[in-house]
Amino acid sequence: MTRRPQPRHITLGGHEAVALTPKEYEQLIASRRQIGGQSARVRVLAQQVKRSEQLLRDLEDLITAADRGCGEPARTPPAACSAQCADPDATVGTESGCLRCAIAALLRRHREAAA
């Protein structure tokens, strides 16, 4: 493990300061650029995550609304589904209604696990 460089403290105009060699200064500037680039990438990733979460919420609402036959989003399985469909742990059936409920339940489970 390399030893951390110790800054050279100087007094300049009555104020304490740190003196850097030109090489150390260039390394400092390069590190700041790298951190700035990483920060920008993190911001972009955070925006993508927010858009993805919104997409999943909208998808869940569309699936639920399609089962209800209206444009109103609902967070519970529609009345037309069987009791097996309403169970989030139930095995997915082959009917489109069951698949819709399973997808909506899957989206809810993943969102709850992330929270």
Side-chain angles (χ1 to χ4, degrees), residues 1-112:
M1 190 156 92
T2 62
R3 197 181 119 204
R4 280 182 56 190
Q6 296 299 314
R8 289 171 295 287
H9 294 272
I10 61 171
T11 303
L12 186 63
H15 299 286
E16 187 175 334
V18 177
L20 299 173
T21 65
K23 182 180 177 184
E24 290 170 333
Y25 180 75
E26 290 301 321
Q27 289 174 340
L28 177 64
I29 296 300
S31 294
R32 289 187 70 201
R33 272 193 234 97
Q34 288 175 346
I35 290 171
Q38 290 173 347
S39 176
R41 284 189 292 277
V42 167
R43 272 193 307 275
V44 168
L45 289 172
Q47 290 171 349
Q48 288 175 340
V49 166
K50 287 178 185 176
R51 284 194 308 267
S52 296
E53 287 175 343
Q54 184 61 46
L55 173 66
L56 291 176
R57 277 192 296 275
D58 293 347
L59 178 61
E60 181 183 0
D61 290 343
L62 283 174
I63 290 167
T64 306
D67 273 336
R68 295 183 73 195
C70 65
E72 286 289 318
R75 296 285 178 195
T76 57
C81 289
S82 67
Q84 181 184 9
C85 250
D87 181 5
D89 298 321
T91 305
V92 177
T94 56
E95 298 174 22
S96 62
C98 292
L99 180 58
R100 286 184 189 125
C101 287
I103 291 171
L106 178 67
L107 293 173
R108 280 192 299 277
R109 272 198 311 271
H110 280 276
R111 188 178 312 114
E112 290 166 1

